[in-house]
Amino acid sequence: MANLPPGGDRRSPQVFDRRRTTMVSGHLELLSKMSGHLAVTLNLDETIQKALDLIVKFVQAEGGALFLLEEKYGTLLCKASAGPVDIRGIRVKIGEGIVGHCVTENTSRIVRDVQQDADFDHTIDESTGFQTRSIVCTPMIVNGQKIGAIELVNKHTDDGLFSDTDLLMLQTLASAAALAINNAHMAEELVEQERVSRELELATEMQRSLLPVTPTDRFPVAGINLPANEMSGDFYDFFVLEDGRIYFSLGDVSGKGMDAALLMSKTASLFRCLGKTILEPNVLLATINRELCETAIHGMFVTMACGLLDPKTGIVELANAGHEPPLIHARDGTFTALPASAPPLGIMSLQAGDNGIREETFNLDGGTLYIFTDGVTEGCLEDGSRLEQTGFQDIMRERCDLPIAARIKAVVSILSDTGRKRHDDITLLAIEDTRPELRHHASGDWPRMVARFTFPARADALQSVREVVNDACETCGCVTEDATDIIIAVGEACQNIVRHAYKGLDEGDATLEIYCEDGILEFRLQDSARPIDREKMQPKWPKELGPGGLGICLIHDIMDKVEYLPPPEGQGNLLRMVKFIKRKNSNET
Amino acid sequence: MKHEIVEKQGASIVVFKGEIDLDSSPAARKTLLRCSDNTGNVIVDLSGVTYIDSSGVASLVEALQAAKKNGSLLSLAAVSEPTRRVLELARLDKVFTIYGSVDEALAGKG
């Protein structure tokens, strides 16, 4: 309620009533005008200024100011000002000055002579040169919440005094203004929220764009990342070097917020940039560590594993700094964990080498290497239990015939389709030795058989074998140079059967099967002789000139892969030879 | 495989034609060793050889060793592409003295 004005209202009741009627109709008009204005603007500053201008004009004040409460600081900030002096930006402490008292006490006031009022703060007049005589002031309240106050100064009438009617008017208008300000405030917050979420969307999109795209289904590396929130603190990446090797990495940044996401982006960029020139994974990790330490964010670190796969040989060089042990799933079905040799990156100086970040070199030999973040092993299953490494191994074991991309996708599906809220990002990287010669014939229709030829193990049969091989090479579009070499190698292998397996006794047959797929020729030569001593079948270049073992050396020189397989019927010998061929039509791959 | 031996300027010129494989290499070996046992030099004309396997190469090596033992020379002439490839693979291309043609071989000797 308004305080009683010190001098009372000296006007006659009739005049007051007439004025009041006029005022009330004008008041309604103003309210409607204000609502119209305020409805079209959702800009807070504009709303405030417009509301104040209208009020000052209608109440016929010389000037006015609108203050908004800054609860955090216990101050009122002048956001709009009307009249001869602009006092926007001035701050008044709550409980000080007339406006400060109005807000603290939640009351309106008419002060007819400010010089008589102990609460009046002279400092603003002193600094602006304005002379305040009278004041009417009311707090702005929305839903019981104080949001500020409106103060009008010096009525434009003969006596220069504000009346109770003016106060009533101001209170009504202040309520409308408060509502409008509140709406504008909410609108601004909404816009801000929208902006933040749009920026988050862009950041998410940008972060996703840092993840590599798998070139083909048969590419030996595949990765997947499913963030728990919009931004992820995990990352993986891979790219092909000029020499054909594939650099791959996976990392997990401590923490989960935007700071983790930014550190993730930084680390991923360092990997991609430095990886082009630093071709030793442990040296690369040590270098990234140095960079991260130089610009360390206190308490944040990165666990990271990175390595190189040579798809031609299956050899992997791997370095691991503090990351959860990667798993090798070997062709025989066993799993081997490779624990980290060094602490996470970004904490302390680390050297590449035996005393720091070590490098492990191993041959995948047809197996798969899995690198993953703890979001995988600590991920929850439908029954609430954790997946753990054993669960992970089971998933992979059951799906070892699927392409790697499908395998890692299965893990993510199992962990994300539980209906439970996930708390951690799920990130997985699979690196497979996909050399075609390691594939099992049983799975799928690979490879295509182009010839099958059974011949007596006799020297005079070798010419016809060569003709069969020559035709097969022709069928597969093999270039002449390769065909010449292949004929030599297969010829030598057949010769060995005649000379060594059957010891030159014409007592058995041999069968040659030729398969062709994607620039690869595979030969399977089966005899039914007694098992040969494989040790003797290893290539040993004679130190001195001599013909011994020359055929075996030629086979190994020409073929890309030579091995003895267990014969299907349990007897005889089965020699498998694989050759990557160049094709006559270079457009074919 | 076919072969013939031509005597020219005191050297035995052995001309092979066709494929020298496990089936034919015993005959090739016999011919080569017979020539190498003589005191004169041996020139092996390989221009007509379309295929040679390790048993054929082994025969050449054996003949080379026999010639050396006798103090005579064995050289290869006009080596066909398939033969050259096998010799390369067998790392024997530097072991033999190889001439572009029989005439060069005869001249080279002189």
Side-chain angles (χ1 to χ4, degrees):
Chain A
M1 289 301 294
N3 288 356
L4 277 177
D9 198 326
R10 285 189 289 263
R11 292 181 195 95
S12 72
Q14 286 89 348
V15 173
F16 181 83
D17 278 342
R18 189 160 40 82
R19 272 177 61 92
R20 193 171 185 131
T21 313
T22 324
M23 290 281 264
V24 167
S25 71
H27 179 183
L28 286 173
E29 199 188 316
L30 176 63
L31 262 181
S32 121
K33 206 171 173 182
M34 251 176 73
S35 312
H37 269 297
L38 301 178
V40 293
T41 166
L42 288 173
N43 177 297
L44 189 61
D45 289 344
E46 210 180 305
T47 304
I48 289 168
Q49 190 61 49
K50 248 179 196 154
L52 183 67
D53 287 346
L54 289 168
I55 293 167
V56 167
K57 194 177 162 201
F58 191 79
V59 182
Q60 292 178 291
E62 193 181 344
L66 189 150
F67 291 85
L68 285 187
L69 180 63
E70 298 176 310
E71 219 153 0
K72 240 195 303 190
Y73 310 110
T75 50
L76 289 158
L77 171 66
C78 178
K79 288 290 284 181
S81 157
V85 180
D86 187 357
I87 60 160
R88 273 178 302 173
I90 280 181
R91 280 196 167 81
V92 178
K93 279 191 183 151
I94 297 178
E96 285 184 9
I98 292 169
V99 67
H101 272 99
C102 280
V103 171
T104 321
E105 293 152 18
N106 219 0
T107 55
S108 300
R109 276 175 79 171
I110 294 178
V111 181
R112 295 211 159 124
D113 184 358
V114 292
Q115 304 307 327
Q116 304 290 316
D117 195 298
D119 290 338
F120 182 67
D121 179 2
H122 295 267
T123 51
I124 295 174
D125 274 8
E126 280 161 12
S127 66
T128 59
F130 185 78
Q131 201 192 343
T132 306
R133 291 187 302 277
S134 61
I135 284 177
V136 59
C137 182
T138 191
M140 288 188 292
I141 296 162
V142 180
N143 301 330
Q145 286 279 312
K146 292 182 226 181
I147 65 163
I150 301 177
E151 185 182 61
L152 304 179
V153 294
N154 299 356
K155 176 95 174 176
H156 261 319
T157 49
D158 300 339
D159 59 1
L161 298 176
F162 289 106
S163 65
D164 284 347
T165 318
D166 291 335
L167 177 61
L168 192 68
M169 189 76 71
L170 178 61
Q171 283 174 329
T172 316
L173 295 175
S175 303
L179 207 62
I181 289 167
N182 198 48
N183 287 345
H185 215 92
M186 274 164 54
E188 273 199 352
E189 262 179 24
L190 199 72
V191 170
E192 176 66 9
Q193 273 175 16
E194 187 58 31
R195 188 185 62 78
V196 170
S197 83
R198 207 172 40 244
E199 277 186 2
L200 199 60
E201 265 171 40
L202 282 174
T204 307
E205 204 182 302
M206 207 206 115
Q207 207 183 27
R208 312 248 19 119
S209 75
L210 291 177
L211 299 176
V213 177
T214 306
T216 61
D217 284 351
R218 285 202 179 164
F219 196 72
V221 181
I224 197 163
N225 164 257
L226 186 71
N229 303 306
E230 283 86 352
M231 302 297 284
S232 179
D234 290 358
F235 70 92
Y236 70 85
D237 194 10
F238 51 81
F239 55 86
V240 183
L241 294 170
E242 274 177 15
D243 63 8
R245 286 186 295 169
I246 302 164
Y247 230 138
F248 57 84
S249 76
L250 183 143
D252 186 352
V253 177
S254 60
K256 286 177 184 61
M258 189 61 94
D259 48 353
L262 289 172
L263 186 57
M264 166 262 165
S265 302
K266 180 180 176 174
T267 312
S269 304
L270 282 172
F271 168 73
R272 194 155 256 263
C273 180
L274 297 171
K276 302 273 162 66
T277 48
I278 303 176
L279 303 181
E280 288 158 274
N282 61 340
V283 178
L284 177 59
L285 283 187
T287 312
I288 293 175
N289 179 60
R290 201 161 52 237
E291 286 293 325
L292 293 181
C293 285
E294 266 178 29
T295 52
I297 305 168
H298 187 68
M300 293 192 78
F301 57 86
V302 183
T303 69
M304 183 171 172
C306 80
L308 276 168
L309 165 74
D310 187 345
K312 289 195 282 289
T313 59
I315 289 172
V316 170
E317 294 157 68
L318 185 77
N320 183 351
H323 195 78
E324 175 141 351
L327 282 176
I328 299 175
H329 188 192
R331 252 202 299 182
D332 64 8
T334 56
F335 282 89
T336 313
L338 302 163
S341 63
L345 308 177
I347 298 172
M348 55 188 272
S349 167
L350 294 168
Q351 299 298 317
D354 285 345
N355 298 322
I357 311 173
R358 279 202 305 273
E359 194 165 287
E360 315 259 358
T361 304
F362 50 89
N363 196 322
L364 273 178
D365 192 29
T368 307
L369 172 69
Y370 296 105
I371 311 177
F372 41 84
T373 55
D374 50 13
V376 171
T377 43
E378 291 170 11
C380 273
L381 298 168
E382 219 156 344
D383 62 4
S385 65
R386 284 177 168 195
L387 179 66
E388 305 288 2
Q389 271 212 6
T390 48
F392 178 81
Q393 292 180 8
D394 289 342
I395 295 174
M396 290 314 182
R397 207 176 281 121
E398 284 163 18
R399 289 166 179 77
C400 63
D401 287 334
L402 294 179
I404 43 172
R407 274 179 253 167
I408 57 176
K409 217 169 162 185
V411 174
V412 170
S413 300
I414 287 166
L415 292 175
S416 60
D417 296 346
T418 57
R420 290 169 182 275
K421 164 107 183 88
R422 279 183 305 109
H423 300 287
D424 209 350
D425 307 335
I426 298 174
T427 309
L428 260 152
L429 190 64
I431 297 105
E432 189 176 38
D433 181 9
T434 52
R435 283 176 293 161
E437 69 266 25
L438 295 168
R439 276 183 234 164
H440 303 290
H441 284 180
S443 61
D445 53 1
W446 192 95
R448 176 170 62 102
M449 191 196 280
V450 289
R452 189 171 196 280
F453 181 61
T454 301
F455 56 94
R458 293 200 310 262
D460 61 1
L462 296 179
Q463 190 185 3
S464 44
V465 176
R466 291 198 294 271
E467 278 164 16
V468 169
V469 175
N470 188 46
D471 289 349
C473 287
E474 194 69 32
T475 308
C476 300
C478 184
V479 296
T480 316
E481 297 78 28
D482 281 351
T484 308
D485 281 3
I486 288 167
I487 292 166
I488 294 168
V490 178
E492 294 299 334
C494 294
Q495 194 192 118
N496 279 340
I497 291 179
V498 175
R499 292 171 82 177
H500 306 297
Y502 291 111
K503 316 275 184 206
L505 308 166
D506 304 340
E507 60 180 28
D509 287 345
T511 301
L512 175 68
E513 289 177 357
I514 306 174
Y515 301 88
C516 176
E517 180 81 13
D518 272 358
I520 295 150
L521 265 174
E522 178 175 331
F523 301 87
R524 292 182 164 230
L525 190 56
Q526 158 100 54
D527 63 50
S528 49
R530 279 197 287 176
I532 45 123
D533 182 353
R534 289 183 194 173
E535 185 54 37
K536 284 186 183 160
M537 292 296 153
Q538 291 305 309
K540 287 172 198 142
W541 278 103
K543 280 187 188 129
E544 287 178 14
L545 198 65
L550 181 58
I552 293 162
C553 292
L554 291 177
I555 297 169
H556 281 267
D557 258 21
I558 291 166
M559 292 294 182
D560 293 300
K561 175 104 187 169
V562 182
E563 62 179 347
Y564 278 96
L565 300 177
E569 282 154 30
Q571 58 166 0
N573 302 285
L574 175 56
L575 177 68
R576 179 168 173 269
M577 297 173 286
V578 177
K579 174 76 178 169
F580 301 113
I581 55 164
K582 282 195 206 75
R583 298 211 198 165
K584 281 173 184 162
N585 184 348
S586 58
N587 289 335
E588 285 180 46
T589 51
Chain B
M1 183 208 72
K2 286 180 182 157
H3 76 270
E4 56 176 323
I5 303 165
V6 184
E7 298 290 334
K8 204 173 178 183
Q9 297 173 24
S12 307
I13 302 164
V14 188
V15 184
F16 287 115
K17 282 195 165 69
E19 301 182 325
I20 309 175
D21 66 358
L22 188 61
D23 196 29
S24 54
S25 62
R29 175 176 175 270
K30 219 168 161 183
T31 309
L32 284 167
L33 287 178
R34 203 173 59 225
C35 293
S36 303
D37 281 347
N38 298 335
T39 46
N41 293 327
V42 183
I43 299 167
V44 188
D45 179 347
L46 294 166
S47 59
V49 174
T50 52
Y51 173 84
I52 184 166
D53 71 2
S54 61
S55 66
V57 171
S59 306
L60 288 173
V61 172
E62 208 179 337
L64 179 69
Q65 288 170 325
K68 270 188 181 164
K69 220 174 180 177
N70 288 338
S72 58
L73 294 168
L74 181 140
S75 57
L76 309 182
V79 177
S80 67
E81 202 44 50
T83 311
R84 183 183 298 277
R85 177 65 182 147
V86 176
L87 290 175
E88 252 171 46
L89 284 168
R91 295 135 164 97
L92 292 171
D93 49 334
K94 299 285 185 289
V95 171
F96 289 99
T97 308
I98 299 175
Y99 292 99
S101 64
V102 173
D103 287 343
E104 279 175 34
L106 286 168
K109 245 182 355 160

